[in-house]
DNA sequence: ATAAACACTTGTATTTAGCAAGTAATGTTC
DNA sequence: GAACATTACTTGCTAAATACAAGTGTTTAT
């Protein structure tokens, strides 16, 4: 797994040192909005990440405090990945990517933009609440 | 220069297809907040991008409509890079990265977060106005 | 006329990403 | 309880992206 080296003190640069690649934010999105929690779930996402990259990103995200890893209580060969508070604070970034992407994708749904822009704060709180509720649960 | 292949229809994924690397958003940030406009300006940024990567990213950003390129009126060996409307719509994303990065960087300035969160909409408009004013100018 | 500034290119080494196949632990089925 | 299926990865190999150092061509200043 790659070791992160801080390039500058700029907060944007600092963020991208952790998240500036094509996959990390998509894994977080999977947990955040699509309720995916397992290695197999992530593999099935439309973007088709390869197995070794997924393993590497999961390890890095865990090491850097974005996700937690635990063995399922029911099935001991199943691993559950969940978001931390550090990732809950990424919800606004994901929402803004959603808005921008929906606007500039030729096949983008204009309806999604309108809804997101109109109820942005409500949507952000919705996803953050979901993450924080999970944080408290034992399951 | 790398050719972009769309991985899925998800707006987040779509955005990251263009911006999901360690450098593209930093170049846009340089123009947006630090008023840098030339190849030499970008090279001098704290993050120390290498020359060939910078050339590659500038070409990609131009081809994908994030920046425009023009020869300076005064000095004909100087090239001026400027942001398009497509990049003006990235201001909220950059601001959110600022907020997140300032919060989680150990050396992060707490004051910056407070100011940004408090006056977020004002800050966003400030940077967008600056870009749009430039768009109209001939200079 | 010469040197400096500027925007890149080129060449090479290192790192990262992608693909295909394999492995080890647990779970399920008959 | 033996055999097959899930699940979460590893491993080996190839391709692509990145980083570093040096060089090139055009324009500008002296």
């Amino acid at each position: 797994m790659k070791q992160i080296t801080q390039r500058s003190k700029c907060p944007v640069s600092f963020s991208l040192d952790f998240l500036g690649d094509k996959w990390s934010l998509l894994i977080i999105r999977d947990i955040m909005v699509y309720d995916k929690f397992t290695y197999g779930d992530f593999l099935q996402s439309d973007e088709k990440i390869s197995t070794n990259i997924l393993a590497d990103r999961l390890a890095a995200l865990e090491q850097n405090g974005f996700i937690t890893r635990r063995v399922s209580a029911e099935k001991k060969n199943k691993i559950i990945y969940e978001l931390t508070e550090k990732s809950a604070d990424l919800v606004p970034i994901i929402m803004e990517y959603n808005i921008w992407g929906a606007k500039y994708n030729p096949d983008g749904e204009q309806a999604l933009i309108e809804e997101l822009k109109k109820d942005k704060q409500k949507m952000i709180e919705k996803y953050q609440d979901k993450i924080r509720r999970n944080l408290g649960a034992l399951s």
Side-chain angles (χ1 to χ4, degrees), chain A residues 37-118:
Chain A
F37 298 104
T38 69
Y39 190 91
D41 287 344
F42 305 137
L43 279 184
Q44 283 162 36
S45 288
D46 288 346
E47 292 85 13
K48 299 286 167 245
I49 190 172
S50 30
T51 59
N52 55 341
I53 303 294
L54 176 57
D56 179 90
R57 285 313 112 85
L58 286 171
L61 287 172
E62 191 196 359
Q63 176 158 315
N64 295 317
F66 291 91
I67 59 175
T68 55
R69 195 194 112 108
R70 66 182 170 85
V71 176
S72 164
E74 302 91 41
K75 307 191 177 184
K76 290 182 180 173
N77 67 341
K78 214 167 190 178
I79 306 287
I80 313 281
Y81 291 98
E82 286 163 322
L83 298 179
T84 64
E85 183 63 24
K86 204 170 185 175
S87 287
D89 282 326
L90 293 174
V91 172
I93 294 175
I94 307 265
M95 289 302 112
E96 295 296 348
Y97 269 123
N98 251 305
I99 293 171
W100 190 92
K103 179 166 181 179
Y104 285 98
N105 186 346
D107 316 333
E109 297 183 35
Q110 234 46 25
L112 176 64
I113 308 175
E114 289 314 312
E115 192 191 339
L116 260 171
K117 283 175 102 165
K118 195 162 156 286

Side-chain angles (χ1 to χ4, degrees), chain A residues 3-61:
Chain A
Q3 175 65 14
I4 282 151
T5 55
Q6 196 169 328
R7 289 174 293 175
S8 84
K9 292 185 169 184
C10 166
V12 179
S13 167
F14 178 85
S15 305
L16 294 174
D17 286 341
F18 294 100
L19 304 166
D21 72 278
K22 292 212 175 298
W23 295 110
S24 299
L25 272 175
L26 291 184
I27 294 170
I28 291 169
R29 171 212 61 180
D30 275 353
I31 310 178
M32 190 181 284
V33 331
Y34 296 132
D35 294 321
K36 301 191 171 190
F37 298 104
T38 69
Y39 190 91
D41 287 344
F42 305 137
L43 279 184
Q44 283 162 36
S45 288
D46 288 346
E47 292 85 13
K48 299 286 167 245
I49 190 172
S50 30
T51 59
N52 55 341
I53 303 294
L54 176 57
D56 179 90
R57 285 313 112 85
L58 286 171
L61 287 172

